[in-house]
Amino acid sequence: MTEPGKTLDSESTGSEYEGRIAFVTGAGRGFGQAFSQALAARGAHVVMADIDGAAAAAAAQEIVAGGGGASALTCDVADEASVAAAMAAVRREHGGLDILINNAGLHSEAYNIPMAQAGVPMLRRLFDVNVMGVIICTLAAVPLMAGRAGASIINISSTAAYPVPTAYGVSKLAVRGLTAAFAREFGAQGLRVNAIAPGLMMTDTIRAELKPETVAYVRAQQAIDREGLPGDVVDAMLFLTSAAASFVTGETLKVGGGFTLGIG
Ligand SMILES: NC(=O)c1ccc[n+]([C@@H]2O[C@H](COP(=O)([O-])OP(=O)(O)OC[C@H]3O[C@@H](n4cnc5c(N)ncnc54)[C@H](O)[C@@H]3O)[C@@H](O)[C@H]2O)c1
């Protein structure tokens, strides 16, 4: 068993990531950076895409300095042309893609407000990034993944997609639906599509932005009384992208210490 918050060690996953090409959105910080570090540590080359190109470049540089394979791209997942250009670069430089992680998303306190208060422009951007971003990146990536043994896509949903009281939760409910739909649509091409629904995880953004009372409320609802950490989500990603999950597709795996028990 892995120590809470730590990632699976490379021994337990073998070298199945060696030489594989991964594309991670929102890779400049938080989960995206942690996913990239874990994949690169296991021998994958990670293309780190973020709307904040400087953050992606710095995060990639850190991996490269440590001897891993990574490169950075400025990319807005909600912008079809931006994603098309990024995928064209992947095709040119790497010839194909084995792992896509649709991680970029808008979240945190700003989106946990009533919809009438948020207003249409803010809601449109939320759904453009969290929902259309998954669609745009998936459709652009699938032609690069076709015929690559073990290829798989991971979407990042949220436990907020279970009680769905917020616009954010609804956007992440759509991610669960897209995961099932894409798994069905692309299964015949040998592609698996799964999602992870993290509970509250203490990334730098969450630590900086979330009110302590919100953090305390979520923890009180969990069955496991500790903070969720990015490493918990990384472990789920490593399972779902590995051969150990070769018969698993269309699923959303909740990683939230039991936050949603009794809800869904
Ligand atoms: N942290 C949590 O507790 C938590 C819980 C459940 C789900 N999630 C989900 O996990 C994902 C990552 O969360 P995080 O906590 O690491 O977030 P974060 O805010 O720390 O990082 C998100 C990254 O995505 C990038 N990004 C934002 N919009 C983008 C766009 N249009 N195109 C490309 N990149 C963009 C940002 O620049 C940033 O680097 C999100 O989808 C979030 O909704 C997070």
Side-chain angles (χ1 to χ4, degrees):
M1 207 186 93
T2 319
E3 205 183 314
K6 295 275 161 55
T7 60
L8 293 169
D9 61 29
S10 42
E11 241 174 40
S12 62
T13 52
S15 61
E16 64 180 291
Y17 295 94
E18 200 66 55
R20 301 183 92 194
I21 308 299
F23 189 96
V24 181
T25 69
R29 57 179 66 76
F31 294 169
Q33 183 178 15
F35 290 143
S36 303
Q37 289 168 341
L39 290 168
R42 287 161 178 75
H45 178 95
V46 189
V47 181
M48 301 172 70
D50 204 297
I51 197 167
D52 181 348
Q61 183 46 43
E62 210 178 289
I63 289 175
V64 171
S71 48
L73 281 172
T74 304
C75 176
D76 177 356
V77 296
D79 178 345
E80 214 180 333
S82 174
V83 172
M87 291 300 170
V90 173
R91 187 186 285 282
R92 209 169 43 243
E93 283 156 36
H94 305 287
L97 189 62
D98 301 293
I99 296 168
L100 168 67
I101 305 186
N102 285 313
N103 163 76
L106 298 175
H107 65 115
S108 203
E109 297 282 11
Y111 299 94
N112 287 319
I113 56 174
M115 296 208 206
Q117 196 182 323
V120 169
M122 188 173 175
L123 293 173
R124 195 187 295 282
R125 182 64 184 163
L126 175 71
F127 280 80
D128 270 352
V129 175
N130 289 11
V131 182
M132 287 310 299
V134 172
I135 296 173
I136 291 169
C137 290
T138 300
L139 294 181
V142 164
L144 280 76
M145 302 179 91
R148 312 247 313 186
S152 89
I153 296 176
I154 303 293
N155 298 324
I156 305 303
S157 178
S158 170
T159 51
Y162 292 83
V164 286
T166 65
Y168 172 71
V170 175
S171 76
K172 293 298 188 178
L173 180 60
V175 172
R176 288 172 56 199
L178 287 170
T179 301
F182 283 141
R184 172 68 67 187
E185 185 168 343
F186 300 123
Q189 297 178 36
L191 193 58
R192 296 184 303 108
V193 185
N194 289 292
I196 301 166
L200 186 59
M201 301 290 168
M202 302 312 285
T203 57
D204 292 345
T205 305
I206 291 293
R207 281 193 202 283
E209 290 182 12
L210 228 58
K211 294 182 194 128
E213 53 267 35
T214 309
V215 175
Y217 166 78
V218 172
R219 187 160 167 174
Q221 308 303 309
Q222 293 172 188
I224 296 171
D225 185 24
R226 72 160 171 86
E227 287 182 345
L229 296 168
D232 294 310
V233 185
V234 168
D235 281 347
M237 177 279 290
L238 290 173
F239 166 63
L240 289 170
T241 55
S242 75
S246 66
F247 202 47
V248 180
T249 196
E251 298 294 340
T252 297
L253 177 59
K254 284 178 267 184
V255 181
F259 173 66
T260 53
L261 287 174
I263 299 174

